[in-house]
Amino acid sequence: MSFDWWTFGLQTVNFVILVWLLHRFLYKPVLRFVDARRADIDKEHAEAKRIQQEAQSELKRIHTARSETEAEREAVLAAARTEAEIQAAARLAQAENDAEELETQARKSLQAERDAAAGETRKIALDLGMDVARRLLQEVPADLRMATWLDRIENHMNALEPGKRDALLVGPASTGRLRVIGAIPLPKASMERWRERLIAILGDDLEIEFAHDPDLIAGVELHFPGAILHFSWRGTLNAMRVEMTADADAR
Amino acid sequence: MMDASPLTSTILFHIGPIPISQAVVTTWGLMLVLPLGSWLLTRGLGREPGRLQAVLETVVVGILEQISEVAGKSARSLLPLLATLFLFIATANSTSILPGMEAPTARIETAAALAAVVFVSVHFYGIRARGLLGYLAGFAKPKLIMLPLNLLSEFTRTLSLTVRLFGNVMSGEFMIALVLALAGLFVPIPLMALELLLGLVQAYIFTVLAGVFIGAAINAQQQT
């Protein structure tokens, strides 16, 4: 066995050259593309990771937004519920007040109608009574009907204090004039009797004239210069009407 | 075909005083074919790999991953050396099946040259990684008494690399030549197929051992 050092040296150099050649023509180009592809993959991986992180962030943000929206919805619902309860209570109270007011007004209206109806009934009754009285009085003779009133006038005048009785005769014109208005026209004889008896009470310087007014129903009215004395049913009935109206209003 | 002793180199011609053996010529042939083939194959590489590019990338990346397993992070810088070792030994071993050719690795000079390159590379990468003093100090570990043995092992493992490769390839060729001489033309074909497989195995073993040695030199502190 021999060892050829030339061959050893040449093979060593050959191998080193082959290392360089393969590095230049094989490993470098292949690794360049492998590295480029790996860089692309890493880049895409990084991009995918970034997108994934963005998606996770977005998902987190959506979850947060959803939670906030849910909380806001709950708050709005609670506020709306509270507001609705307040408004319902207010409307219920308002409705109760309105109902109560309507009831009161209805009661008042009913009462007013009832009062009006009662007043109307009273008026009708008074009118009816006056009508009845007027018809009945027509059955009574005129002298008799007026005589009663003359007695009553005498009693009233006599009951007056002298000062007041004198005051009746003093008017703006300072004339002693008396106008006697009866419900019916007095016959002449009755007129004389009336004049005599009135002069006997009031004095002879009194000028008396007679007239009649059917609305008085019965009785007379004495028109003095300073006052009017009512001795008729119209006056009595009017007084009654006033009293009844006042009484109804008071009720 | 071995027309002389398998233990001696066949000198084909001389360039001046330099004898050019058949192993050297075959190596030159490989030096022409391998880079040229690589150039042709890598000429049309693109971002979207075709079938051929995929195979090429698989081979290179596969070798790189194998180196990474034995040499760790330094695999990228070791790729040219170790991948060339594997490709050269594998193709050199395969040349024996061609008529009239003999594998360069069946000659002890070639195996010794490859082992010598590994020997130098081990120290080169070890010093580069750890510094001269740090690397030399590694020979005295774990104890100073281990220094002679560690130094001796540096040479013995280089010798073992040489002899293992040379012995296996040369014996394979010798066996095929003997069977061919005794039994006829087609009888050694199974043996030749086996020799191809053994050639790949030897290339793998040589490359892995070289990677382990260099990796140990680079990462001695982690390993000790």
Side-chain angles (χ1 to χ4, degrees), chain A residues 126-172:
Chain A
L126 282 172
D127 292 343
L128 186 62
M130 288 173 69
D131 195 34
V132 168
R134 189 178 290 118
R135 288 192 181 185
L136 290 174
L137 284 172
Q138 285 177 354
E139 302 292 329
V140 180
D143 288 346
L144 192 59
R145 282 164 61 185
M146 295 300 289
T148 308
W149 292 105
L150 186 57
D151 293 342
R152 190 177 166 188
I153 290 168
E154 273 184 341
N155 291 336
H156 181 78
M157 289 300 180
N158 289 331
L160 281 176
E161 293 175 6
K164 287 186 177 177
R165 190 167 57 214
D166 293 340
L168 291 172
L169 299 171
V170 178

Side-chain angles (χ1 to χ4, degrees), chain A:
Chain A
M1 180 176 176
S2 62
F3 190 86
D4 183 7
W5 287 100
W6 281 111
T7 301
F8 171 77
L10 285 171
Q11 290 296 68
T12 303
V13 173
N14 286 342
F15 180 75
V16 172
I17 293 170
L18 185 62
V19 168
W20 180 82
L21 286 172
L22 287 182
H23 179 61
R24 168 72 179 78
F25 292 109
L26 180 62
Y27 311 130
K28 214 178 208 177
V30 172
L31 287 178
R32 189 169 64 240
F33 283 101
V34 169
D35 289 342
R37 191 175 304 111
R38 190 165 292 163
D40 288 345
I41 291 170
D42 290 343
K43 191 177 175 184
E44 288 177 5
H45 184 70
E47 181 67 14
K49 197 170 182 180
R50 187 187 64 76
I51 291 171
Q52 185 186 18
Q53 285 176 346
E54 283 182 3
Q56 285 175 343
S57 301
E58 185 68 13
L59 190 66
K60 194 174 178 183
R61 192 189 65 72
I62 288 169
H63 280 311
T64 306
R66 186 182 291 172
S67 301
E68 288 175 355
T69 305
E70 187 69 20
E72 194 174 344
R73 187 178 75 89
E74 290 295 331
V76 169
L77 279 177
R81 199 176 293 124
T82 306
E83 181 67 19
E85 285 173 358
I86 290 170
Q87 286 191 1
R91 287 187 179 181
L92 184 63
Q94 181 68 31
E96 285 176 352
N97 286 338
D98 290 348
E100 196 173 338
E101 192 175 340
L102 281 173
E103 188 182 356
T104 306
Q105 286 180 352
R107 285 180 189 281
K108 283 181 180 177
S109 176
L110 191 63
Q111 188 62 38
E113 287 178 3
R114 192 181 295 161
D115 292 344
E120 190 66 24
T121 305
R122 279 193 295 272
K123 185 182 174 188
I124 292 169
L126 282 172
D127 292 343
L128 186 62
M130 288 173 69
D131 195 34
V132 168
R134 189 178 290 118
R135 288 192 181 185
L136 290 174
L137 284 172
Q138 285 177 354
E139 302 292 329
V140 180
D143 288 346
L144 192 59
R145 282 164 61 185
M146 295 300 289
T148 308
W149 292 105
L150 186 57
D151 293 342
R152 190 177 166 188
I153 290 168
E154 273 184 341
N155 291 336
H156 181 78
M157 289 300 180
N158 289 331
L160 281 176
E161 293 175 6
K164 287 186 177 177
R165 190 167 57 214
D166 293 340
L168 291 172
L169 299 171
V170 178
S174 300
T175 56
R177 186 174 179 180
L178 172 61
R179 195 160 177 258
V180 178
I181 300 172
I184 53 173
L186 283 172
K188 204 160 186 141
S190 295
M191 280 186 196
E192 287 305 321
R193 189 166 59 251
W194 270 78
R195 184 173 285 117
E196 287 173 1
R197 289 179 69 174
L198 286 171
I199 286 170
I201 298 166
L202 298 171
D204 54 357
D205 56 346
L206 185 65
E207 185 185 345
I208 297 173
E209 62 179 37
F210 291 92
H212 80 277
D213 181 1
D215 290 339
L216 294 180
I217 304 171
V220 295
E221 282 183 356
L222 301 178
H223 290 241
F224 290 100
I228 297 173
L229 295 181
H230 297 276
F231 296 97
S232 66
W233 282 15
R234 184 176 68 179
T236 305
L237 288 170
N238 283 338
M240 284 173 64
R241 193 188 303 273
V242 170
E243 285 177 6
M244 288 170 73
T245 304
D247 192 29
D249 290 342
R251 273 184 297 173

Side-chain angles (χ1 to χ4, degrees), chain B residues 18-188:
Chain B
I18 302 169
I20 305 299
S21 65
Q22 187 172 3
V24 172
V25 173
T26 308
T27 301
W28 284 346
L30 291 175
M31 287 173 66
L32 185 67
V33 170
L34 286 175
L36 187 64
S38 299
W39 177 71
L40 289 173
L41 289 173
T42 57
R43 201 173 44 165
L45 296 181
R47 281 292 180 94
E48 300 293 327
R51 192 174 298 173
L52 194 62
Q53 184 177 342
V55 171
L56 207 59
E57 288 182 3
T58 303
V59 170
V60 173
V61 173
I63 294 172
L64 186 62
E65 286 175 356
Q66 288 291 322
I67 297 168
S68 296
E69 288 180 8
V70 295
K73 295 176 182 176
S74 310
R76 198 63 178 261
S77 62
L78 298 179
L79 178 72
L81 172 66
L82 296 179
T84 305
L85 269 179
F86 177 79
L87 292 175
F88 174 71
I89 295 171
T91 51
N93 290 345
S94 304
T95 55
S96 64
I97 63 170
L98 297 175
M101 300 282 284
E102 67 177 36
T105 44
R107 298 299 164 198
I108 193 160
E109 292 86 356
T110 306
L114 297 177
V117 170
V118 172
F119 176 82
V120 173
S121 299
V122 166
H123 302 304
F124 170 75
Y125 285 109
I127 291 169
R128 195 176 73 167
R130 295 157 58 193
L132 180 61
L133 291 177
Y135 178 70
L136 291 176
F139 288 102
K141 290 180 180 177
K143 296 287 185 185
L144 186 59
I145 197 169
M146 297 295 291
L147 179 62
L149 290 176
N150 286 335
L151 289 174
L152 184 63
S153 74
E154 291 296 315
F155 294 99
T156 54
R157 70 187 186 188
T158 303
L159 185 63
S160 75
L161 276 178
T162 305
V163 173
R164 184 186 298 109
L165 180 64
F166 162 68
N168 278 285
V169 179
M170 182 273 293
S171 61
E173 280 198 353
F174 194 62
M175 284 294 295
I176 291 169
L178 280 178
V179 172
L180 186 64
L182 295 175
L185 186 62
F186 297 106
V187 177

